[in-house]
Amino acid sequence: MTDFESPNGWHRSEKGIFLGICKGLAEWRDVPVFWIRFAMVALTIFTFPLPIFIYIFLAFITPKARKDGWTPKNSEYRTVNQTLDSLERRTRRVEDAVVNRETDWDRRFHDK
C-alpha cells in the first residue's frame, strides 16, 4: 500500500489556498506550509511549466481530507491514547490480583 492509498498518508487539505496540495503535504510531513509553498514558487520560477503540470496532476490523484476532522496526527494520538488506556486497565487488573493474593495470605497467617 502506498502513501497515497494509506489513510495516514498524504491528503489534500480542505484549508489549502489552491486545491490543498501544499497544505496537505505540509500536514503529512509536519513542516510549515510556508516552506512547501516557497519551494513550489521557486520551482515554478526556475522550471516554469513542469511544476504547474505536476501540481495539477497531484490534485487529481491525491485524496481529499476527510470531513470529520480526521488528520493523520489526530489519528495517531488517538491510537496511542487507546493503547495507553488499555495498558493502564491491564496493569490495574494485575495489581488487584497481586494485592488480593497478598492480603489473602496475610489474613490466613495472621488471623490464626
Side-chain angles (χ1 to χ4, degrees):
M1 181 181 290
T2 65
D3 285 332
F4 290 108
E5 298 166 354
S6 170
N8 292 337
W10 186 6
H11 61 276
R12 287 175 34 202
S13 177
E14 299 256 340
K15 299 174 184 174
I17 292 176
F18 181 69
L19 298 175
I21 297 295
C22 292
K23 179 81 171 173
L25 180 62
E27 290 173 356
W28 178 48
R29 289 297 177 191
D30 199 26
V31 295
V33 71
F34 169 79
W35 294 113
I36 302 293
R37 290 181 179 145
F38 180 79
M40 182 64 185
V41 169
L43 284 171
T44 303
I45 290 171
F46 293 115
T47 60
F48 173 61
L50 187 61
I52 294 173
F53 293 133
I54 292 172
Y55 191 89
I56 293 170
F57 175 73
L58 288 174
F60 283 112
I61 67 167
T62 306
K64 288 184 180 179
R66 292 172 40 175
K67 294 185 185 222
D68 60 0
W70 179 91
T71 62
K73 192 179 289 187
N74 289 343
S75 176
E76 290 168 4
Y77 289 141
R78 189 176 310 124
T79 302
V80 168
N81 283 336
Q82 289 172 349
T83 303
L84 289 175
D85 288 343
S86 172
L87 288 172
E88 186 175 357
R89 285 191 303 270
R90 290 174 64 189
T91 303
R92 284 184 184 164
R93 283 196 309 257
V94 169
E95 286 176 347
D96 289 343
V98 169
V99 169
N100 286 341
R101 286 183 192 153
E102 287 177 1
T103 52
D104 184 45
W105 281 106
D106 286 343
R107 185 178 46 82
R108 286 183 186 179
F109 289 115
H110 293 294
D111 287 343
K112 292 184 179 186

